Amino acid sequence: AQVRSQLPMRWRNKDLAALYFSVLDIGLTRRDKLRFLRGYFQQPLRQTFSAERSLLAWLERKAEALYARKQRYGDAL
C-alpha cells in the first residue's frame, strides 16, 4: 500500500470508472447516481456537471466499454 499526500488524477479517474462499472448491474436509479456525485464531489450537482463534464462523459464511455467486454468474454476479464 502506498501512502500519498495527494492521489494522482489518473488513478482517481480509473478507480471511479471501475466503481461505476461494478455497479452497472445492481439496479441503481438515476437518483442514486446523482446522490453519489453530490457526496463525492462535495458541491452542488449543477456545479459538478459544469466542472466535471468531460470526466463524467469519459467515465460513462469507459464503464460501457468494460461492460461490453464483459459481455463478450464473461468473467475472463
Side-chain angles (χ1 to χ4, degrees), residues 24-57:
L24 285 177
D25 281 338
I26 66 169
L28 290 180
T29 65
R30 183 170 192 264
R31 186 175 181 166
D32 294 330
K33 293 174 189 176
L34 294 174
R35 191 177 296 123
F36 171 80
L37 290 174
R38 190 178 64 222
Y40 184 83
F41 288 103
Q42 294 292 301
Q43 59 188 9
L45 287 172
R46 202 176 292 261
Q47 192 175 350
T48 299
F49 287 132
S50 175
E52 303 293 343
R53 181 182 315 269
S54 62
L55 170 65
L56 297 173

Side-chain angles (χ1 to χ4, degrees), residues 53-64:
R53 181 182 315 269
S54 62
L55 170 65
L56 297 173
W58 179 83
L59 289 172
E60 187 85 25
R61 287 191 312 271
K62 184 69 171 176
E64 287 175 3

Side-chain angles (χ1 to χ4, degrees), residues 7-22 40 55 58-60 62-63 66:
L7 181 69
M9 193 69 70
R10 179 174 171 260
W11 290 6
R12 181 202 71 167
N13 295 350
K14 184 180 170 208
D15 288 345
L16 283 172
L19 177 63
Y20 186 47
F21 164 73
S22 70
Y40 184 83
L55 170 65
W58 179 83
L59 289 172
E60 187 85 25
K62 184 69 171 176
L66 288 169

